[in-house]
Structure formats: C-alpha cells, structure tokens
Amino acid sequence: MNLSQRIFLITVLLFNFVVKAQETRGYRYEILLGHDNDFTVFGARTDWHYTYGIHAAFNWKPLNENFLSKVFPHKTAFSHGIGAHIQAYTPDYAKTYQIVRTRQPYAGWGYFDFATNYAFENAFVQFKLDLGILGPAVQAGEIQNFIHEYFSKDIFVDRWENQIPNTLGVNLRAEYTQDLVTKDWFNIYTLGRASAGTIFNFVEAGLNFRLGKFLPISQSVARQQSLFGKGETEFFLEAGINMHFSAYNATIEKADANGVKVVPNDLVNHSIFNGNIGLFFASKRYTLGMKWNYTEGEIEGNKPHRFIIVAGTYKFN
C-alpha cells in the first residue's frame, strides 16, 4: 500500500469516526422546568382564575420491562416520570367586577405526580396519578406575593386567608394523542384527555396543527415526549383548539374558609372552549416551548382568560 492509499484509508476511517461520534442513540434521563403566568399577557389587568403554575419533573426510560410497561406489548418505547407542581387560583381582585357580579374562591393546589408514557409509531398514551393538597398548606398566596414584589411589581394580595381550607387531593389522569395528517412541514394531530378524582373531573378533546420541522407526535416536544427521540432538531409553530367538559372543579365549586360557596351552581361553566398558539424548539439535549392560551373561563358570562406557559427540558445519560 503506497502513501496516497494509506492517507486515503486514514481519512475514510477518521471521517467514519467523526460521523459515529456525532450520532446519538438518544438520552435516558430528562429534567423539566416550567412556569405558567398571565402577567406577561397584554391586556390582563390583574391575576384571575388560573393565576400561575410552577412545575418541575424528572423523567427516565427504564432499562427493563416492568408490570406497567407490559400493558402495551406493541409500544416502541416507554418512560416514567415524577413531578412536583404548585398551581394558584384567584378571583379578579381589581376594584371592579367582571361582567357577572361573582368571583371565585382563592385556592392553592400543590401535588406530586407519577407519570408513565407509552410511545407508538405515531401516537402515545400517558397515565398520571396526582397526590396533593388543596389549601393553605401549599403556600400559594405567599408565593404569589413574592412574585408580585420581586418580579411582576403587581399589588400585594391580602385576601388569601379566605382560601379553600386544606383538602387531600387525588386525581387519576389519562391522555391519548395521535398524528392524523403529516405532509412535509405540516401536521395535524388529535388529543384526548380525562381526569377523575377529588379535585378535577373532566374530559377534553382537541385538534392541533404544526407548521415547521417536527418529529412524530410520540417523539416531539409538542407534548413533552422528546425523550423518545434521539436529540433531533425541531422548530415549529403550533396552534390548537379544544373543548373541555368539566363535571367537577374543586377550585371553583368548594366552599371557602368561611363555609361560603362563592360561585353558585348555575354560574359554573361546564363546557369550556380553549385555544392556543405557541413556538417550540428542540435540539440534542435541550427543548424549549412557549404557548399562549385562551380559555372561556370557569364562570358563566365572565370575560375570557389568557395566560402563557413556558417550559424547557435538559436530557442526559
């Protein structure tokens, strides 16, 4: 073998090594952080209804099958996750009422959840178990006023002493999502969600559209399933609509600390239209998504509510 042949062989080997080094088999672990808030929304005078949410989660792909994963023998992958969440709900505490002269109770919902996810070629199924407390033990009011003082510069809210008293909360939730149409840079997918428990009882059906570069919904950042991918790049615009049918919402329908049921039964909105539009990005270890949400609200006749969700993940092995 002459010198030029040796140089050619070494070049080919080096190129192959570099290509292999750049390939990834994906990641096994993921950390998620997220925040929901309406102070970033133009035209929102005060917090009201769903005021804010703080979310942290750790997700992983088990190495071996277990009794949960064997439920779906035709899956392509599966993962589990644990999370900690705090969500706050308040009335419109401005001096003027909204269209309907009623307000909802103050409520703080703090909970841990255990999630299990099952991916298929163009769909996924998720189950979650929530365990937590609805009430003052969550410290939702203290957190809200901390955010107001140091970040949003909103007013101090001093009416949390009347919030819904401490109540143990348990919910079992499920979600099924599936791609319907995919054409190059355009995708339509459908989703269904349901919850049964002591805090939320509802079913929800929606239709979402993606425009850009994306993976199948079972591997996409769109529904926080990118751990099933291999770190591929995604960047897309998403918009969606859904109908939410609520049988019971404890943050609206439970009595406050004075034993007063603030929202009369005939003003509880059980059929709620929602819409959203957002931007999403994913590359290798990182994902980031921001979604603007519109909802008709939980009280009949009141003005629609708007808030933004921001969430990001970091993956590793």
Side-chain angles (χ1 to χ4, degrees):
M1 182 181 292
N2 58 36
L3 181 60
S4 61
Q5 290 174 324
R6 290 177 181 178
I7 293 174
F8 176 77
L9 178 60
I10 292 172
T11 302
V12 171
L13 291 174
L14 285 174
F15 178 77
N16 184 64
F17 174 79
V18 170
V19 169
K20 290 295 184 182
Q22 290 178 341
E23 291 178 353
T24 175
R25 297 179 181 178
Y27 301 95
R28 187 182 173 197
Y29 305 104
E30 178 183 67
I31 296 172
L32 178 146
L33 296 174
H35 181 56
D36 318 332
N37 210 303
D38 57 7
F39 78 87
T40 55
V41 180
F42 296 110
R45 298 179 297 108
T46 70
D47 297 330
W48 71 277
H49 183 50
Y50 180 40
T51 303
Y52 71 81
I54 300 172
H55 312 281
F58 175 71
N59 305 309
W60 72 95
K61 292 188 292 189
L63 292 176
N64 301 310
E65 291 271 359
N66 53 52
F67 73 97
L68 289 174
S69 65
K70 292 178 181 178
V71 174
F72 298 99
H74 301 297
K75 63 188 175 299
T76 57
F78 70 100
S79 70
H80 300 317
I82 54 174
H85 312 266
I86 294 177
Q87 296 175 325
Y89 302 83
T90 69
D92 178 351
Y93 48 75
K95 293 182 178 179
T96 59
Y97 285 90
Q98 295 206 43
I99 300 172
V100 174
R101 292 186 61 82
T102 189
R103 295 176 175 178
Q104 67 184 76
Y106 288 82
W109 168 230
Y111 63 99
F112 295 96
D113 64 12
F114 174 78
T116 179
N117 305 280
Y118 305 96
F120 302 89
E121 183 177 356
N122 293 301
F124 76 86
V125 178
Q126 179 186 78
F127 298 100
K128 284 187 175 183
L129 175 65
D130 303 337
L131 298 172
I133 294 176
L134 179 69
V138 178
Q139 301 288 296
E142 288 78 2
I143 294 172
Q144 181 187 39
N145 283 318
F146 176 84
I147 294 172
H148 284 191
E149 181 177 0
Y150 294 102
F151 296 95
S152 66
K153 306 302 179 183
D154 203 344
I155 66 173
F156 182 86
V157 183
D158 59 358
R159 304 172 193 173
W160 275 94
E161 66 272 12
N162 295 320
Q163 68 180 290
I164 294 172
N166 287 328
T167 303
L168 179 66
V170 180
N171 297 314
L172 179 62
R173 293 185 285 152
E175 176 177 336
Y176 177 76
T177 303
Q178 179 176 342
D179 286 321
L180 294 180
V181 177
T182 300
K183 297 290 184 181
D184 298 326
W185 288 56
F186 178 73
N187 168 259
I188 300 175
Y189 71 87
T190 186
L191 66 88
R193 299 196 308 137
S195 175
T198 62
I199 307 300
F200 300 111
N201 287 288
F202 67 80
V203 294
E204 182 178 292
L207 199 64
N208 289 64
F209 309 84
R210 290 187 290 171
L211 184 64
K213 182 183 170 91
F214 45 78
L215 294 174
I217 197 62
S218 57
Q219 303 173 32
S220 179
V221 64
R223 302 301 298 175
Q224 297 295 350
Q225 298 298 318
S226 62
L227 191 59
F228 291 136
K230 297 182 179 180
E232 300 96 328
T233 297
E234 293 186 276
F235 50 89
F236 57 86
L237 172 73
E238 178 178 290
I241 55 173
N242 68 67
M243 282 300 301
H244 181 97
F245 301 97
S246 174
Y248 178 70
N249 182 342
T251 70
I252 293 290
E253 300 179 61
K254 282 190 71 67
D256 65 11
N258 301 312
V260 177
K261 191 170 183 180
V262 180
V263 183
N265 289 334
D266 61 343
L267 289 182
V268 177
N269 190 3
H270 293 288
S271 300
I272 303 164
F273 173 79
N274 301 310
N276 62 79
I277 185 169
L279 292 170
F280 294 85
F281 171 79
S283 181
K284 297 181 181 178
R285 298 177 182 270
Y286 303 95
T287 72
L288 181 64
M290 182 175 69
K291 183 183 291 186
W292 180 88
N293 294 267
Y294 167 96
T295 177
E296 286 184 333
E298 304 286 340
I299 300 175
E300 290 279 4
N302 267 352
K303 294 179 181 178
H305 183 47
R306 296 148 296 173
F307 62 95
I308 284 178
I309 298 174
V310 179
T313 66
Y314 173 77
K315 293 184 281 291
F316 59 98
N317 286 315

